[in-house]
Amino acid sequence: MCGIVGILATEAAAPQVVESLKRLEYRGYDSAGVAALEDGGIARVRAEGKLKNLTQKLQSHALLGHTAIGHTRWATHGKPTEDNAHPHATDRVAIVHNGIIENFRELRLELEKEGVIFSSETDTEVALHLVDRELRKLKDPVKAVAAALPRLKGAFALGFIFSGFEDLMIGARQGAPLAVGYGEGEMYLGSDALALAPFTDTVTYLEEGDWAVLSRNDVIFYDRTNAVVKRTKQKSGAGAYSIDKGNHRHFMAKEIAEQPEVVGRTLAHYLDMGLGEVRLPTPMPFDWKSLDRITITACGTACFSGMIAKYWFERFARLAVDIDVASEFRYREAPLQKNGLAIFISQSGETADTLAGLRYAKEQGQHIVSVVNVPTSTIARESDVVIPTLAGPEIGVASTKAFTCQLTALACLAIAAGRARGVLSETQERRLVTDLIAVPALMVEALKGEHAIEQVAHDMAKATDVLYLGRGTNFPLALEGALKLKEISYIHAEGYAAGELKHGPIALIDESLPVIVLAPHDAIYEKTVSNMQEVAARGGRIILISDHAGLSEAGLKPHAMIEMPKQNPDFAAIVYSVPVQLLAYHAAVALGKDVDQPRNLAKSVTVE
Ligand code: M6R
C-alpha cells in the first residue's frame, strides 16, 4: 500500500530516493518523506500530500547524506499528516514501512509502560521503538533487528538505517514485497524492481520471512530463523519499461491508448496465429477433462474480468465457474473439491485479499493458476502456473490495459479448456482465435471515436448519478464501467444486468439520469432493446454503445450513440472496454479530478 526505498549511494542519496519514489507513487500518495544520515545523525524531510510537496521542501532543506531511505504513503493508521509521514526516527534509527503491524496496540502499550513517547499515530512507530530498545541494549543494529523482528505480527516490508553506520541498511519482508538491487559500489532496497530500474536491473527478491543486511559492496540474506541463506540474483527487465506519459496528459490516457499494442502482445504469447490455435506456453498440471467446476477469485476490476471469463469458460468449455470477490471468498469457507482448479486474477499480484484467497485454496488442495501482470509478485510466486498478462507497468490507479490483457489471457485459457475437454472442435477453435486476432485492430477503430466520446462524457459529467446496463459479458463490463466512473470522477454510478432493471433500479430513472447501455448486436440484443424501451418510457437519457444503429426500427432515439466497429460479439467486451474507459476518463478530466491519483485510493492494496 505504501512504497519504500533505500539507497547506499556514492553521493547525496536523496535525489535518487526521490527519483525512485516517483515510480512508487502509484502505491500511495497521502504523504512522502526521506531520511538521510548526516553528521553522524539522522535528518528527515517529510511532507503531507503528493511527492511534489516533498520535492519542493527538499529544495530549501537539501539532504546531503549518502545513506538514505524514502517512503510514499497510503494511510492506514493515522491521518495523512506530516507527523504520521514516514520515515519515522529516533536518534539512533530511522524506519520506512509498507503494510500493517497487526499487534501494534499491545506493543505500543508495552513500550509506553517503559516510558517510550510516541510522536505519531502509526503502527510503524512500534517497530521503530522495538529496534531502538534493542539497539540501546545490544549496541549492534543487526542483532537489534534480529531481536525485534519476531515480535511483529502482520504483513509488512521494512527498511532501516542507523545513525553512525554509514555503510549499513537493513530490509525485512513478511507478506509485502521487497527487492534488493545491485549497483556499482551502491546498493538499493525497494518495494519493487520498477522503483530500482533507474539504477539497476539486477535484483534479488526477498522470500517470505527474509531479512537482508546491505552494505555498499555486499548483502547477506537471513531467513525467519536468522539462518544465513542464499537468494538468487536475477534480471528484473524493469528497465525496458518507460515510466512516462509520453505525449499524453495522464498515465490513464496513455494506458488506454496502448491497449491495441499490449493486447496484441498478450495474444501473441498465447496463440499460434499461423495455425489459428491457442498454445499455452506452460503445461497445466491437471487434466481439464477431470474438472467439474472451477473457482475464480479477485478484487475490483480484476474480479470483473473474472466475471466475463465465467461466460467464456461456461460457453466454450462447458465448465461451471464459481466466482467471488477475494474479501468474501477468503472467509466464507467455501468447500472446494480436492484437485480442483482455482484461478486468481491480479494486476499487481500483491493484493492482500486475493493472496489470502489463494492460500486458502492451496490448503484445500486446489491447483493454483494466477493471471498476473507482475510476474515476480507474491501471487505469481505462490502459484502452480502463472498466466502473465503482458500489459507492462500500469501506473494510473484506474486499471485499464491490465483489465483488457486479463480478458485476453482468460479468453485464450477458456478456449484451451474447451479444446482439451472436447467441447470445441478444431474449426470452432480456429474461428474463435480468428476473432481474437481481430481484437487489437477493432480497439484501434474504437479509439478513433475518442473525440465523440469526449463530447458525451462532458455532458455526462454534469450528472450526479449514472446507470450502466449490459447483458452477457457486457453485464460485468457494466459493473466495470460504473467502478471506473466512480473511482476517478467521484460521480455515483451503478452497473446492472439489463434484465434486472425492472426489479428495482428502474425507480431511479428520470430525465436527469444518463443510462449507458452496452449492446453489441448479439443474440440477446433485442432483449436489451426492450430494456431501453423501459428506460425511454420514463424519460431516461440513453447513451447507447453498440455496433448496430437500428434503434429507430424500435421507435427509439438514444440521447447519444457511441458507434462501435462490427465484430463477432463473443469478444465484444474487450473492445467495448475502450469507450467505457474513455467515458470515465473524459468525465473526470472535465470535472478537473486527479485522474491518475484519485482521492483515497492506491494502486496496490496490500492490506486487508
Ligand atoms: O492489483 P489487483 O488487480 O489485484 O487490484 C485489484 C483492485 O484493487 C483493482 O482492480 C482496483 O479495483 C482498481 N482501482 C480498479 O481500477
Side-chain angles (χ1 to χ4, degrees), residues 299-302 345-351 354 379 397-399 406 480 483-484 487 601-605:
C299 297
T301 290
I345 309 167
S346 175
Q347 186 284 128
S348 61
E350 301 294 346
T351 300
T354 310
I379 288 178
V397 163
S399 189
Q406 284 160 359
E480 165 62 3
L483 172 66
K484 211 89 302 169
E487 70 179 333
L601 290 175
K603 184 76 184 155
S604 173
V605 186

mmCIF file with all atom_site columns, all heavy atoms in Angstrom, residues 299-302 345-351 354 379 397-399 406 480 483-484 487 601-605, ligand 1:
data_model
loop_
_atom_site.group_PDB
_atom_site.id
_atom_site.type_symbol
_atom_site.label_atom_id
_atom_site.label_alt_id
_atom_site.label_comp_id
_atom_site.label_asym_id
_atom_site.label_entity_id
_atom_site.label_seq_id
_atom_site.pdbx_PDB_ins_code
_atom_site.Cartn_x
_atom_site.Cartn_y
_atom_site.Cartn_z
_atom_site.occupancy
_atom_site.B_iso_or_equiv
_atom_site.pdbx_formal_charge
_atom_site.auth_seq_id
_atom_site.auth_comp_id
_atom_site.auth_asym_id
_atom_site.auth_atom_id
_atom_site.pdbx_PDB_model_num
ATOM   1   N N   . CYS A 1 299 ? -10.173 -9.139  -6.958  1.00 0.00 ? 299 CYS A N   1
ATOM   2   C CA  . CYS A 1 299 ? -10.779 -7.926  -6.384  1.00 0.00 ? 299 CYS A CA  1
ATOM   3   C C   . CYS A 1 299 ? -10.990 -6.880  -7.484  1.00 0.00 ? 299 CYS A C   1
ATOM   4   O O   . CYS A 1 299 ? -10.213 -6.826  -8.446  1.00 0.00 ? 299 CYS A O   1
ATOM   5   C CB  . CYS A 1 299 ? -9.853  -7.294  -5.347  1.00 0.00 ? 299 CYS A CB  1
ATOM   6   S SG  . CYS A 1 299 ? -9.550  -8.333  -3.941  1.00 0.00 ? 299 CYS A SG  1
ATOM   7   N N   . GLY A 1 300 ? -11.972 -6.031  -7.279  1.00 0.00 ? 300 GLY A N   1
ATOM   8   C CA  . GLY A 1 300 ? -12.170 -4.853  -8.130  1.00 0.00 ? 300 GLY A CA  1
ATOM   9   C C   . GLY A 1 300 ? -12.269 -5.211  -9.609  1.00 0.00 ? 300 GLY A C   1
ATOM   10  O O   . GLY A 1 300 ? -12.962 -6.159  -10.009 1.00 0.00 ? 300 GLY A O   1
ATOM   11  N N   . THR A 1 301 ? -11.559 -4.438  -10.393 1.00 0.00 ? 301 THR A N   1
ATOM   12  C CA  . THR A 1 301 ? -11.580 -4.629  -11.834 1.00 0.00 ? 301 THR A CA  1
ATOM   13  C C   . THR A 1 301 ? -11.154 -6.038  -12.230 1.00 0.00 ? 301 THR A C   1
ATOM   14  O O   . THR A 1 301 ? -11.720 -6.639  -13.158 1.00 0.00 ? 301 THR A O   1
ATOM   15  C CB  . THR A 1 301 ? -10.657 -3.566  -12.469 1.00 0.00 ? 301 THR A CB  1
ATOM   16  O OG1 . THR A 1 301 ? -11.293 -2.297  -12.313 1.00 0.00 ? 301 THR A OG1 1
ATOM   17  C CG2 . THR A 1 301 ? -10.408 -3.824  -13.936 1.00 0.00 ? 301 THR A CG2 1
ATOM   18  N N   . ALA A 1 302 ? -10.169 -6.577  -11.528 1.00 0.00 ? 302 ALA A N   1
ATOM   19  C CA  . ALA A 1 302 ? -9.696  -7.933  -11.849 1.00 0.00 ? 302 ALA A CA  1
ATOM   20  C C   . ALA A 1 302 ? -10.833 -8.938  -11.661 1.00 0.00 ? 302 ALA A C   1
ATOM   21  O O   . ALA A 1 302 ? -10.946 -9.918  -12.405 1.00 0.00 ? 302 ALA A O   1
ATOM   22  C CB  . ALA A 1 302 ? -8.502  -8.285  -10.969 1.00 0.00 ? 302 ALA A CB  1
ATOM   23  N N   . ILE A 1 345 ? -6.831  -13.687 -10.150 1.00 0.00 ? 345 ILE A N   1
ATOM   24  C CA  . ILE A 1 345 ? -6.511  -12.656 -11.147 1.00 0.00 ? 345 ILE A CA  1
ATOM   25  C C   . ILE A 1 345 ? -6.082  -11.395 -10.403 1.00 0.00 ? 345 ILE A C   1
ATOM   26  O O   . ILE A 1 345 ? -6.780  -10.940 -9.487  1.00 0.00 ? 345 ILE A O   1
ATOM   27  C CB  . ILE A 1 345 ? -7.741  -12.333 -12.023 1.00 0.00 ? 345 ILE A CB  1
ATOM   28  C CG1 . ILE A 1 345 ? -8.348  -13.624 -12.585 1.00 0.00 ? 345 ILE A CG1 1
ATOM   29  C CG2 . ILE A 1 345 ? -7.353  -11.392 -13.168 1.00 0.00 ? 345 ILE A CG2 1
ATOM   30  C CD1 . ILE A 1 345 ? -9.727  -13.434 -13.199 1.00 0.00 ? 345 ILE A CD1 1
ATOM   31  N N   . SER A 1 346 ? -4.940  -10.850 -10.798 1.00 0.00 ? 346 SER A N   1
ATOM   32  C CA  . SER A 1 346 ? -4.465  -9.636  -10.122 1.00 0.00 ? 346 SER A CA  1
ATOM   33  C C   . SER A 1 346 ? -3.462  -8.906  -11.002 1.00 0.00 ? 346 SER A C   1
ATOM   34  O O   . SER A 1 346 ? -2.516  -9.527  -11.502 1.00 0.00 ? 346 SER A O   1
ATOM   35  C CB  . SER A 1 346 ? -3.807  -10.018 -8.798  1.00 0.00 ? 346 SER A CB  1
ATOM   36  O OG  . SER A 1 346 ? -3.233  -8.888  -8.188  1.00 0.00 ? 346 SER A OG  1
ATOM   37  N N   . GLN A 1 347 ? -3.677  -7.619  -11.180 1.00 0.00 ? 347 GLN A N   1
ATOM   38  C CA  . GLN A 1 347 ? -2.686  -6.824  -11.909 1.00 0.00 ? 347 GLN A CA  1
ATOM   39  C C   . GLN A 1 347 ? -1.380  -6.817  -11.136 1.00 0.00 ? 347 GLN A C   1
ATOM   40  O O   . GLN A 1 347 ? -0.344  -7.198  -11.644 1.00 0.00 ? 347 GLN A O   1
ATOM   41  C CB  . GLN A 1 347 ? -3.212  -5.398  -12.098 1.00 0.00 ? 347 GLN A CB  1
ATOM   42  C CG  . GLN A 1 347 ? -2.367  -4.481  -12.972 1.00 0.00 ? 347 GLN A CG  1
ATOM   43  C CD  . GLN A 1 347 ? -1.110  -3.954  -12.316 1.00 0.00 ? 347 GLN A CD  1
ATOM   44  O OE1 . GLN A 1 347 ? -0.013  -4.070  -12.890 1.00 0.00 ? 347 GLN A OE1 1
ATOM   45  N NE2 . GLN A 1 347 ? -1.200  -3.417  -11.138 1.00 0.00 ? 347 GLN A NE2 1
ATOM   46  N N   . SER A 1 348 ? -1.452  -6.386  -9.872  1.00 0.00 ? 348 SER A N   1
ATOM   47  C CA  . SER A 1 348 ? -0.233  -6.194  -9.073  1.00 0.00 ? 348 SER A CA  1
ATOM   48  C C   . SER A 1 348 ? 0.368   -7.509  -8.614  1.00 0.00 ? 348 SER A C   1
ATOM   49  O O   . SER A 1 348 ? 1.566   -7.612  -8.401  1.00 0.00 ? 348 SER A O   1
ATOM   50  C CB  . SER A 1 348 ? -0.552  -5.356  -7.839  1.00 0.00 ? 348 SER A CB  1
ATOM   51  O OG  . SER A 1 348 ? -1.506  -6.036  -7.036  1.00 0.00 ? 348 SER A OG  1
ATOM   52  N N   . GLY A 1 349 ? -0.493  -8.501  -8.404  1.00 0.00 ? 349 GLY A N   1
ATOM   53  C CA  . GLY A 1 349 ? -0.026  -9.765  -7.830  1.00 0.00 ? 349 GLY A CA  1
ATOM   54  C C   . GLY A 1 349 ? 0.280   -9.643  -6.347  1.00 0.00 ? 349 GLY A C   1
ATOM   55  O O   . GLY A 1 349 ? 0.870   -10.544 -5.755  1.00 0.00 ? 349 GLY A O   1
ATOM   56  N N   . GLU A 1 350 ? -0.143  -8.552  -5.733  1.00 0.00 ? 350 GLU A N   1
ATOM   57  C CA  . GLU A 1 350 ? 0.166   -8.331  -4.314  1.00 0.00 ? 350 GLU A CA  1
ATOM   58  C C   . GLU A 1 350 ? -1.090  -8.068  -3.493  1.00 0.00 ? 350 GLU A C   1
ATOM   59  O O   . GLU A 1 350 ? -0.979  -7.832  -2.286  1.00 0.00 ? 350 GLU A O   1
ATOM   60  C CB  . GLU A 1 350 ? 1.117   -7.132  -4.133  1.00 0.00 ? 350 GLU A CB  1
ATOM   61  C CG  . GLU A 1 350 ? 2.450   -7.233  -4.838  1.00 0.00 ? 350 GLU A CG  1
ATOM   62  C CD  . GLU A 1 350 ? 3.346   -8.350  -4.291  1.00 0.00 ? 350 GLU A CD  1
ATOM   63  O OE1 . GLU A 1 350 ? 3.042   -8.871  -3.194  1.00 0.00 ? 350 GLU A OE1 1
ATOM   64  O OE2 . GLU A 1 350 ? 4.314   -8.713  -4.977  1.00 0.00 ? 350 GLU A OE2 1
ATOM   65  N N   . THR A 1 351 ? -2.262  -8.064  -4.103  1.00 0.00 ? 351 THR A N   1
ATOM   66  C CA  . THR A 1 351 ? -3.484  -7.705  -3.376  1.00 0.00 ? 351 THR A CA  1
ATOM   67  C C   . THR A 1 351 ? -3.708  -8.671  -2.209  1.00 0.00 ? 351 THR A C   1
ATOM   68  O O   . THR A 1 351 ? -3.798  -9.891  -2.409  1.00 0.00 ? 351 THR A O   1
ATOM   69  C CB  . THR A 1 351 ? -4.675  -7.707  -4.353  1.00 0.00 ? 351 THR A CB  1
ATOM   70  O OG1 . THR A 1 351 ? -4.366  -6.752  -5.362  1.00 0.00 ? 351 THR A OG1 1
ATOM   71  C CG2 . THR A 1 351 ? -5.973  -7.326  -3.675  1.00 0.00 ? 351 THR A CG2 1
ATOM   72  N N   . THR A 1 354 ? -6.685  -11.192 -2.265  1.00 0.00 ? 354 THR A N   1
ATOM   73  C CA  . THR A 1 354 ? -6.534  -12.209 -3.312  1.00 0.00 ? 354 THR A CA  1
ATOM   74  C C   . THR A 1 354 ? -5.479  -13.230 -2.889  1.00 0.00 ? 354 THR A C   1
ATOM   75  O O   . THR A 1 354 ? -5.655  -14.447 -3.053  1.00 0.00 ? 354 THR A O   1
ATOM   76  C CB  . THR A 1 354 ? -6.149  -11.537 -4.649  1.00 0.00 ? 354 THR A CB  1
ATOM   77  O OG1 . THR A 1 354 ? -7.055  -10.462 -4.874  1.00 0.00 ? 354 THR A OG1 1
ATOM   78  C CG2 . THR A 1 354 ? -6.214  -12.495 -5.818  1.00 0.00 ? 354 THR A CG2 1
ATOM   79  N N   . ILE A 1 379 ? 1.782   -13.304 -5.572  1.00 0.00 ? 379 ILE A N   1
ATOM   80  C CA  . ILE A 1 379 ? 0.744   -14.212 -6.087  1.00 0.00 ? 379 ILE A CA  1
ATOM   81  C C   . ILE A 1 379 ? 1.341   -15.107 -7.170  1.00 0.00 ? 379 ILE A C   1
ATOM   82  O O   . ILE A 1 379 ? 1.108   -16.320 -7.187  1.00 0.00 ? 379 ILE A O   1
ATOM   83  C CB  . ILE A 1 379 ? -0.482  -13.405 -6.592  1.00 0.00 ? 379 ILE A CB  1
ATOM   84  C CG1 . ILE A 1 379 ? -1.225  -12.837 -5.376  1.00 0.00 ? 379 ILE A CG1 1
ATOM   85  C CG2 . ILE A 1 379 ? -1.408  -14.256 -7.469  1.00 0.00 ? 379 ILE A CG2 1
ATOM   86  C CD1 . ILE A 1 379 ? -2.427  -11.977 -5.683  1.00 0.00 ? 379 ILE A CD1 1
ATOM   87  N N   . VAL A 1 397 ? -4.036  4.707   -11.388 1.00 0.00 ? 397 VAL A N   1
ATOM   88  C CA  . VAL A 1 397 ? -4.687  3.879   -10.364 1.00 0.00 ? 397 VAL A CA  1
ATOM   89  C C   . VAL A 1 397 ? -5.873  3.111   -10.955 1.00 0.00 ? 397 VAL A C   1
ATOM   90  O O   . VAL A 1 397 ? -6.134  1.973   -10.598 1.00 0.00 ? 397 VAL A O   1
ATOM   91  C CB  . VAL A 1 397 ? -5.092  4.755   -9.153  1.00 0.00 ? 397 VAL A CB  1
ATOM   92  C CG1 . VAL A 1 397 ? -6.107  4.053   -8.273  1.00 0.00 ? 397 VAL A CG1 1
ATOM   93  C CG2 . VAL A 1 397 ? -3.849  5.093   -8.337  1.00 0.00 ? 397 VAL A CG2 1
ATOM   94  N N   . ALA A 1 398 ? -6.569  3.743   -11.893 1.00 0.00 ? 398 ALA A N   1
ATOM   95  C CA  . ALA A 1 398 ? -7.690  3.056   -12.533 1.00 0.00 ? 398 ALA A CA  1
ATOM   96  C C   . ALA A 1 398 ? -7.134  2.045   -13.541 1.00 0.00 ? 398 ALA A C   1
ATOM   97  O O   . ALA A 1 398 ? -6.394  2.397   -14.450 1.00 0.00 ? 398 ALA A O   1
ATOM   98  C CB  . ALA A 1 398 ? -8.574  4.062   -13.249 1.00 0.00 ? 398 ALA A CB  1
ATOM   99  N N   . SER A 1 399 ? -7.505  0.804   -13.351 1.00 0.00 ? 399 SER A N   1
ATOM   100 C CA  . SER A 1 399 ? -6.968  -0.247  -14.220 1.00 0.00 ? 399 SER A CA  1
ATOM   101 C C   . SER A 1 399 ? -7.642  -0.201  -15.594 1.00 0.00 ? 399 SER A C   1
ATOM   102 O O   . SER A 1 399 ? -8.862  -0.137  -15.688 1.00 0.00 ? 399 SER A O   1
ATOM   103 C CB  . SER A 1 399 ? -7.229  -1.596  -13.556 1.00 0.00 ? 399 SER A CB  1
ATOM   104 O OG  . SER A 1 399 ? -6.549  -2.593  -14.257 1.00 0.00 ? 399 SER A OG  1
ATOM   105 N N   . GLN A 1 406 ? -6.009  -8.986  -19.119 1.00 0.00 ? 406 GLN A N   1
ATOM   106 C CA  . GLN A 1 406 ? -6.543  -10.125 -18.350 1.00 0.00 ? 406 GLN A CA  1
ATOM   107 C C   . GLN A 1 406 ? -7.616  -10.836 -19.163 1.00 0.00 ? 406 GLN A C   1
ATOM   108 O O   . GLN A 1 406 ? -7.641  -12.066 -19.275 1.00 0.00 ? 406 GLN A O   1
ATOM   109 C CB  . GLN A 1 406 ? -7.174  -9.621  -17.032 1.00 0.00 ? 406 GLN A CB  1
ATOM   110 C CG  . GLN A 1 406 ? -6.174  -9.242  -15.973 1.00 0.00 ? 406 GLN A CG  1
ATOM   111 C CD  . GLN A 1 406 ? -6.763  -8.321  -14.897 1.00 0.00 ? 406 GLN A CD  1
ATOM   112 O OE1 . GLN A 1 406 ? -7.931  -7.930  -14.942 1.00 0.00 ? 406 GLN A OE1 1
ATOM   113 N NE2 . GLN A 1 406 ? -5.939  -7.972  -13.929 1.00 0.00 ? 406 GLN A NE2 1
ATOM   114 N N   . GLU A 1 480 ? -17.913 -2.799  -14.405 1.00 0.00 ? 480 GLU A N   1
ATOM   115 C CA  . GLU A 1 480 ? -16.585 -2.191  -14.534 1.00 0.00 ? 480 GLU A CA  1
ATOM   116 C C   . GLU A 1 480 ? -16.708 -0.709  -14.938 1.00 0.00 ? 480 GLU A C   1
ATOM   117 O O   . GLU A 1 480 ? -15.987 0.145   -14.430 1.00 0.00 ? 480 GLU A O   1
ATOM   118 C CB  . GLU A 1 480 ? -15.752 -2.987  -15.562 1.00 0.00 ? 480 GLU A CB  1
ATOM   119 C CG  . GLU A 1 480 ? -14.487 -2.329  -16.089 1.00 0.00 ? 480 GLU A CG  1
ATOM   120 C CD  . GLU A 1 480 ? -13.438 -2.042  -15.026 1.00 0.00 ? 480 GLU A CD  1
ATOM   121 O OE1 . GLU A 1 480 ? -13.634 -2.399  -13.858 1.00 0.00 ? 480 GLU A OE1 1
ATOM   122 O OE2 . GLU A 1 480 ? -12.427 -1.422  -15.381 1.00 0.00 ? 480 GLU A OE2 1
ATOM   123 N N   . LEU A 1 483 ? -17.631 1.246   -11.905 1.00 0.00 ? 483 LEU A N   1
ATOM   124 C CA  . LEU A 1 483 ? -16.483 1.371   -10.990 1.00 0.00 ? 483 LEU A CA  1
ATOM   125 C C   . LEU A 1 483 ? -15.500 2.413   -11.515 1.00 0.00 ? 483 LEU A C   1
ATOM   126 O O   . LEU A 1 483 ? -15.020 3.273   -10.762 1.00 0.00 ? 483 LEU A O   1
ATOM   127 C CB  . LEU A 1 483 ? -15.775 0.009   -10.838 1.00 0.00 ? 483 LEU A CB  1
ATOM   128 C CG  . LEU A 1 483 ? -14.450 0.040   -10.068 1.00 0.00 ? 483 LEU A CG  1
ATOM   129 C CD1 . LEU A 1 483 ? -14.672 0.404   -8.607  1.00 0.00 ? 483 LEU A CD1 1
ATOM   130 C CD2 . LEU A 1 483 ? -13.728 -1.295  -10.152 1.00 0.00 ? 483 LEU A CD2 1
ATOM   131 N N   . LYS A 1 484 ? -15.228 2.335   -12.827 1.00 0.00 ? 484 LYS A N   1
ATOM   132 C CA  . LYS A 1 484 ? -14.249 3.260   -13.421 1.00 0.00 ? 484 LYS A CA  1
ATOM   133 C C   . LYS A 1 484 ? -14.708 4.698   -13.233 1.00 0.00 ? 484 LYS A C   1
ATOM   134 O O   . LYS A 1 484 ? -13.937 5.567   -12.853 1.00 0.00 ? 484 LYS A O   1
ATOM   135 C CB  . LYS A 1 484 ? -14.118 2.915   -14.921 1.00 0.00 ? 484 LYS A CB  1
ATOM   136 C CG  . LYS A 1 484 ? -12.799 3.159   -15.541 1.00 0.00 ? 484 LYS A CG  1
ATOM   137 C CD  . LYS A 1 484 ? -11.842 2.000   -15.468 1.00 0.00 ? 484 LYS A CD  1
ATOM   138 C CE  . LYS A 1 484 ? -11.556 1.557   -14.063 1.00 0.00 ? 484 LYS A CE  1
ATOM   139 N NZ  . LYS A 1 484 ? -10.845 0.320   -13.954 1.00 0.00 ? 484 LYS A NZ  1
ATOM   140 N N   . GLU A 1 487 ? -14.503 5.772   -9.435  1.00 0.00 ? 487 GLU A N   1
ATOM   141 C CA  . GLU A 1 487 ? -13.202 5.935   -8.784  1.00 0.00 ? 487 GLU A CA  1
ATOM   142 C C   . GLU A 1 487 ? -12.429 7.153   -9.276  1.00 0.00 ? 487 GLU A C   1
ATOM   143 O O   . GLU A 1 487 ? -11.647 7.711   -8.520  1.00 0.00 ? 487 GLU A O   1
ATOM   144 C CB  . GLU A 1 487 ? -12.359 4.656   -8.847  1.00 0.00 ? 487 GLU A CB  1
ATOM   145 C CG  . GLU A 1 487 ? -11.835 4.257   -10.185 1.00 0.00 ? 487 GLU A CG  1
ATOM   146 C CD  . GLU A 1 487 ? -10.983 2.975   -10.114 1.00 0.00 ? 487 GLU A CD  1
ATOM   147 O OE1 . GLU A 1 487 ? -10.388 2.675   -9.074  1.00 0.00 ? 487 GLU A OE1 1
ATOM   148 O OE2 . GLU A 1 487 ? -10.916 2.282   -11.139 1.00 0.00 ? 487 GLU A OE2 1
ATOM   149 N N   . LEU A 1 601 ? -7.473  6.397   -2.848  1.00 0.00 ? 601 LEU A N   1
ATOM   150 C CA  . LEU A 1 601 ? -7.148  5.109   -3.472  1.00 0.00 ? 601 LEU A CA  1
ATOM   151 C C   . LEU A 1 601 ? -5.643  4.895   -3.551  1.00 0.00 ? 601 LEU A C   1
ATOM   152 O O   . LEU A 1 601 ? -4.856  5.824   -3.376  1.00 0.00 ? 601 LEU A O   1
ATOM   153 C CB  . LEU A 1 601 ? -7.717  5.051   -4.888  1.00 0.00 ? 601 LEU A CB  1
ATOM   154 C CG  . LEU A 1 601 ? -9.238  4.967   -4.997  1.00 0.00 ? 601 LEU A CG  1
ATOM   155 C CD1 . LEU A 1 601 ? -9.658  5.047   -6.451  1.00 0.00 ? 601 LEU A CD1 1
ATOM   156 C CD2 . LEU A 1 601 ? -9.739  3.679   -4.393  1.00 0.00 ? 601 LEU A CD2 1
ATOM   157 N N   . ALA A 1 602 ? -5.273  3.670   -3.826  1.00 0.00 ? 602 ALA A N   1
ATOM   158 C CA  . ALA A 1 602 ? -3.875  3.347   -4.137  1.00 0.00 ? 602 ALA A CA  1
ATOM   159 C C   . ALA A 1 602 ? -3.906  2.219   -5.144  1.00 0.00 ? 602 ALA A C   1
ATOM   160 O O   . ALA A 1 602 ? -4.897  1.489   -5.238  1.00 0.00 ? 602 ALA A O   1
ATOM   161 C CB  . ALA A 1 602 ? -3.130  2.910   -2.904  1.00 0.00 ? 602 ALA A CB  1
ATOM   162 N N   . LYS A 1 603 ? -2.850  2.092   -5.884  1.00 0.00 ? 603 LYS A N   1
ATOM   163 C CA  . LYS A 1 603 ? -2.824  1.111   -6.963  1.00 0.00 ? 603 LYS A CA  1
ATOM   164 C C   . LYS A 1 603 ? -2.813  -0.323  -6.436  1.00 0.00 ? 603 LYS A C   1
ATOM   165 O O   . LYS A 1 603 ? -3.457  -1.197  -6.985  1.00 0.00 ? 603 LYS A O   1
ATOM   166 C CB  . LYS A 1 603 ? -1.571  1.370   -7.812  1.00 0.00 ? 603 LYS A CB  1
ATOM   167 C CG  . LYS A 1 603 ? -1.459  0.494   -9.035  1.00 0.00 ? 603 LYS A CG  1
ATOM   168 C CD  . LYS A 1 603 ? -2.384  0.962   -10.112 1.00 0.00 ? 603 LYS A CD  1
ATOM   169 C CE  . LYS A 1 603 ? -2.379  0.046   -11.320 1.00 0.00 ? 603 LYS A CE  1
ATOM   170 N NZ  . LYS A 1 603 ? -3.642  0.153   -12.057 1.00 0.00 ? 603 LYS A NZ  1
ATOM   171 N N   . SER A 1 604 ? -2.038  -0.519  -5.404  1.00 0.00 ? 604 SER A N   1
ATOM   172 C CA  . SER A 1 604 ? -1.825  -1.886  -4.968  1.00 0.00 ? 604 SER A CA  1
ATOM   173 C C   . SER A 1 604 ? -2.299  -2.002  -3.518  1.00 0.00 ? 604 SER A C   1
ATOM   174 O O   . SER A 1 604 ? -1.784  -1.322  -2.638  1.00 0.00 ? 604 SER A O   1
ATOM   175 C CB  . SER A 1 604 ? -0.323  -2.148  -5.100  1.00 0.00 ? 604 SER A CB  1
ATOM   176 O OG  . SER A 1 604 ? 0.010   -3.371  -4.559  1.00 0.00 ? 604 SER A OG  1
ATOM   177 N N   . VAL A 1 605 ? -3.322  -2.839  -3.293  1.00 0.00 ? 605 VAL A N   1
ATOM   178 C CA  . VAL A 1 605 ? -3.947  -2.872  -1.966  1.00 0.00 ? 605 VAL A CA  1
ATOM   179 C C   . VAL A 1 605 ? -3.382  -4.049  -1.174  1.00 0.00 ? 605 VAL A C   1
ATOM   180 O O   . VAL A 1 605 ? -3.967  -5.140  -1.160  1.00 0.00 ? 605 VAL A O   1
ATOM   181 C CB  . VAL A 1 605 ? -5.486  -2.936  -2.087  1.00 0.00 ? 605 VAL A CB  1
ATOM   182 C CG1 . VAL A 1 605 ? -6.147  -2.827  -0.726  1.00 0.00 ? 605 VAL A CG1 1
ATOM   183 C CG2 . VAL A 1 605 ? -5.984  -1.797  -2.979  1.00 0.00 ? 605 VAL A CG2 1
HETATM 184 O O1  . M6R B 2 .   ? -3.709  -5.434  -8.416  1.00 0.00 ? 1   M6R B O1  1
HETATM 185 P P1  . M6R B 2 .   ? -5.062  -6.050  -8.467  1.00 0.00 ? 1   M6R B P1  1
HETATM 186 O O2  . M6R B 2 .   ? -5.519  -6.347  -9.836  1.00 0.00 ? 1   M6R B O2  1
HETATM 187 O O3  . M6R B 2 .   ? -5.174  -7.269  -7.573  1.00 0.00 ? 1   M6R B O3  1
HETATM 188 O O4  . M6R B 2 .   ? -6.030  -4.956  -7.871  1.00 0.00 ? 1   M6R B O4  1
HETATM 189 C C1  . M6R B 2 .   ? -7.385  -5.228  -7.660  1.00 0.00 ? 1   M6R B C1  1
HETATM 190 C C2  . M6R B 2 .   ? -8.172  -3.955  -7.438  1.00 0.00 ? 1   M6R B C2  1
HETATM 191 O O5  . M6R B 2 .   ? -7.683  -3.278  -6.312  1.00 0.00 ? 1   M6R B O5  1
HETATM 192 C C3  . M6R B 2 .   ? -8.113  -3.021  -8.644  1.00 0.00 ? 1   M6R B C3  1
HETATM 193 O O6  . M6R B 2 .   ? -8.560  -3.641  -9.810  1.00 0.00 ? 1   M6R B O6  1
HETATM 194 C C4  . M6R B 2 .   ? -8.966  -1.758  -8.380  1.00 0.00 ? 1   M6R B C4  1
HETATM 195 O O7  . M6R B 2 .   ? -10.308 -2.098  -8.343  1.00 0.00 ? 1   M6R B O7  1
HETATM 196 C C5  . M6R B 2 .   ? -8.670  -0.703  -9.457  1.00 0.00 ? 1   M6R B C5  1
HETATM 197 N N1  . M6R B 2 .   ? -8.502  0.581   -8.830  1.00 0.00 ? 1   M6R B N1  1
HETATM 198 C C6  . M6R B 2 .   ? -9.739  -0.569  -10.455 1.00 0.00 ? 1   M6R B C6  1
HETATM 199 O O8  . M6R B 2 .   ? -9.484  0.401   -11.408 1.00 0.00 ? 1   M6R B O8  1
#
